[in-house]
Short mmCIF file of all heavy atoms in Angstrom, two decimals:
data_model
loop_
_atom_site.label_atom_id
_atom_site.label_comp_id
_atom_site.label_asym_id
_atom_site.label_seq_id
_atom_site.Cartn_x
_atom_site.Cartn_y
_atom_site.Cartn_z
N THR L 93 -12.48 5.27 -5.89
CA THR L 93 -13.29 4.44 -6.80
C THR L 93 -13.03 2.95 -6.59
O THR L 93 -13.94 2.14 -6.75
CB THR L 93 -13.00 4.81 -8.27
OG1 THR L 93 -11.60 4.85 -8.47
CG2 THR L 93 -13.61 6.13 -8.63
N GLN L 94 -11.80 2.60 -6.20
CA GLN L 94 -11.46 1.19 -5.94
C GLN L 94 -12.14 0.71 -4.66
O GLN L 94 -12.50 -0.46 -4.54
CB GLN L 94 -9.95 1.02 -5.77
CG GLN L 94 -9.14 1.38 -7.01
CD GLN L 94 -7.67 1.52 -6.71
OE1 GLN L 94 -7.27 1.62 -5.54
NE2 GLN L 94 -6.86 1.54 -7.76
N ASP L 102 -13.05 -6.44 3.82
CA ASP L 102 -11.86 -6.00 3.07
C ASP L 102 -11.45 -4.59 3.47
O ASP L 102 -10.26 -4.29 3.63
CB ASP L 102 -12.13 -6.04 1.55
CG ASP L 102 -12.27 -7.46 1.03
OD1 ASP L 102 -11.83 -8.38 1.73
OD2 ASP L 102 -12.82 -7.62 -0.08
N VAL L 122 10.57 9.35 14.42
CA VAL L 122 11.18 9.66 15.72
C VAL L 122 12.65 9.24 15.70
O VAL L 122 13.52 9.96 16.22
CB VAL L 122 10.41 8.94 16.87
CG1 VAL L 122 11.16 9.06 18.18
CG2 VAL L 122 9.02 9.53 17.00
N GLY L 124 14.52 9.24 13.25
CA GLY L 124 15.26 10.10 12.32
C GLY L 124 15.37 9.47 10.95
O GLY L 124 16.47 9.24 10.45
N LYS L 132 5.26 10.54 3.01
CA LYS L 132 4.42 9.34 2.91
C LYS L 132 3.40 9.29 4.05
O LYS L 132 2.29 8.76 3.88
CB LYS L 132 5.30 8.10 2.93
CG LYS L 132 4.70 6.93 2.22
CD LYS L 132 5.70 5.81 2.09
CE LYS L 132 4.95 4.51 2.09
NZ LYS L 132 5.76 3.35 2.33
N LYS L 138 -4.30 10.48 4.64
CA LYS L 138 -5.40 10.77 3.71
C LYS L 138 -6.06 9.48 3.22
O LYS L 138 -7.28 9.42 3.07
CB LYS L 138 -4.90 11.58 2.50
CG LYS L 138 -4.30 12.93 2.86
CD LYS L 138 -5.28 13.79 3.63
CE LYS L 138 -4.61 14.98 4.27
NZ LYS L 138 -5.46 15.70 5.20
N ALA L 141 -8.32 8.22 5.87
CA ALA L 141 -9.55 9.03 5.87
C ALA L 141 -10.49 8.58 4.76
O ALA L 141 -11.70 8.49 4.96
CB ALA L 141 -9.20 10.50 5.71
N ARG L 142 -9.94 8.26 3.58
CA ARG L 142 -10.75 7.81 2.45
C ARG L 142 -11.46 6.50 2.78
O ARG L 142 -12.65 6.35 2.52
CB ARG L 142 -9.90 7.63 1.20
CG ARG L 142 -9.56 8.94 0.54
CD ARG L 142 -8.88 8.73 -0.80
NE ARG L 142 -8.35 10.01 -1.26
CZ ARG L 142 -7.08 10.38 -1.16
NH1 ARG L 142 -6.19 9.56 -0.62
NH2 ARG L 142 -6.68 11.56 -1.58
N THR L 145 -14.19 7.10 5.26
CA THR L 145 -15.31 7.78 4.61
C THR L 145 -16.19 6.79 3.88
O THR L 145 -17.41 6.83 3.99
CB THR L 145 -14.80 8.85 3.62
OG1 THR L 145 -13.98 9.77 4.34
CG2 THR L 145 -15.93 9.59 2.97
N ILE L 147 -16.41 3.52 4.44
CA ILE L 147 -17.06 2.65 5.44
C ILE L 147 -18.29 3.35 6.01
O ILE L 147 -19.38 2.77 6.07
CB ILE L 147 -16.07 2.26 6.57
CG1 ILE L 147 -15.01 1.29 6.04
CG2 ILE L 147 -16.82 1.63 7.75
CD1 ILE L 147 -13.88 1.02 7.01
N LEU L 169 -30.02 10.71 10.81
CA LEU L 169 -30.49 10.45 9.45
C LEU L 169 -31.63 11.39 9.04
O LEU L 169 -32.03 11.42 7.89
CB LEU L 169 -30.96 9.00 9.31
CG LEU L 169 -29.89 7.92 9.46
CD1 LEU L 169 -30.51 6.54 9.26
CD2 LEU L 169 -28.76 8.11 8.48
N GLU L 185 -50.82 18.76 10.19
CA GLU L 185 -51.22 19.43 11.44
C GLU L 185 -51.78 20.82 11.16
O GLU L 185 -52.71 21.26 11.82
CB GLU L 185 -50.02 19.53 12.40
CG GLU L 185 -49.61 18.20 13.00
CD GLU L 185 -48.27 18.25 13.70
OE1 GLU L 185 -47.47 19.17 13.42
OE2 GLU L 185 -48.01 17.36 14.52
N GLU L 186 -51.21 21.51 10.17
CA GLU L 186 -51.70 22.85 9.81
C GLU L 186 -53.11 22.79 9.22
O GLU L 186 -53.92 23.68 9.46
CB GLU L 186 -50.77 23.50 8.77
CG GLU L 186 -49.52 24.10 9.36
CD GLU L 186 -48.58 24.67 8.30
OE1 GLU L 186 -48.92 24.63 7.11
OE2 GLU L 186 -47.51 25.16 8.69
N ILE L 189 -58.73 21.17 11.27
CA ILE L 189 -59.64 22.19 11.80
C ILE L 189 -60.36 21.57 13.00
O ILE L 189 -60.95 20.49 12.88
CB ILE L 189 -60.67 22.64 10.74
CG1 ILE L 189 -59.94 23.24 9.52
CG2 ILE L 189 -61.64 23.66 11.31
CD1 ILE L 189 -60.81 23.46 8.32
N LYS L 194 -64.83 24.49 13.32
CA LYS L 194 -65.83 24.06 12.34
C LYS L 194 -67.19 24.69 12.64
O LYS L 194 -67.87 25.20 11.75
CB LYS L 194 -65.96 22.53 12.35
CG LYS L 194 -64.86 21.81 11.61
CD LYS L 194 -65.06 20.31 11.70
CE LYS L 194 -63.83 19.56 11.22
NZ LYS L 194 -63.88 18.14 11.56
N TYR L 205 -70.14 40.89 0.59
CA TYR L 205 -70.63 42.25 0.38
C TYR L 205 -70.76 42.52 -1.13
O TYR L 205 -69.91 42.10 -1.91
CB TYR L 205 -69.67 43.27 1.00
CG TYR L 205 -69.63 43.16 2.50
CD1 TYR L 205 -68.59 42.49 3.15
CD2 TYR L 205 -70.60 43.77 3.28
CE1 TYR L 205 -68.55 42.40 4.52
CE2 TYR L 205 -70.58 43.69 4.67
CZ TYR L 205 -69.54 43.00 5.28
OH TYR L 205 -69.51 42.91 6.64
N VAL L 207 -70.95 45.70 -2.34
CA VAL L 207 -70.19 46.92 -2.63
C VAL L 207 -68.71 46.65 -2.39
O VAL L 207 -68.32 46.12 -1.35
CB VAL L 207 -70.66 48.08 -1.74
CG1 VAL L 207 -69.92 49.35 -2.09
CG2 VAL L 207 -72.16 48.27 -1.87
N LYS L 208 -67.87 47.04 -3.38
CA LYS L 208 -66.43 46.87 -3.24
C LYS L 208 -65.85 48.06 -2.48
O LYS L 208 -66.21 49.20 -2.73
CB LYS L 208 -65.81 46.78 -4.63
CG LYS L 208 -64.35 46.37 -4.61
CD LYS L 208 -63.80 46.25 -6.02
CE LYS L 208 -62.34 45.89 -5.97
NZ LYS L 208 -61.72 45.93 -7.29
N GLU L 210 -63.40 50.98 -1.44
CA GLU L 210 -62.49 51.84 -2.20
C GLU L 210 -61.12 51.87 -1.55
O GLU L 210 -60.98 51.85 -0.34
CB GLU L 210 -63.07 53.29 -2.24
CG GLU L 210 -64.23 53.42 -3.21
CD GLU L 210 -64.62 54.87 -3.39
OE1 GLU L 210 -63.72 55.71 -3.57
OE2 GLU L 210 -65.84 55.14 -3.30
#
Side-chain angles (χ1 to χ4, degrees):
T93 48
Q94 297 167 345
D102 291 342
V122 171
K132 207 172 150 196
K138 299 303 167 190
R142 283 188 191 100
T145 302
I147 289 171
L169 294 181
E185 289 168 340
E186 280 177 2
I189 300 169
K194 282 179 192 168
Y205 294 101
V207 183
K208 189 178 178 187
E210 284 189 46

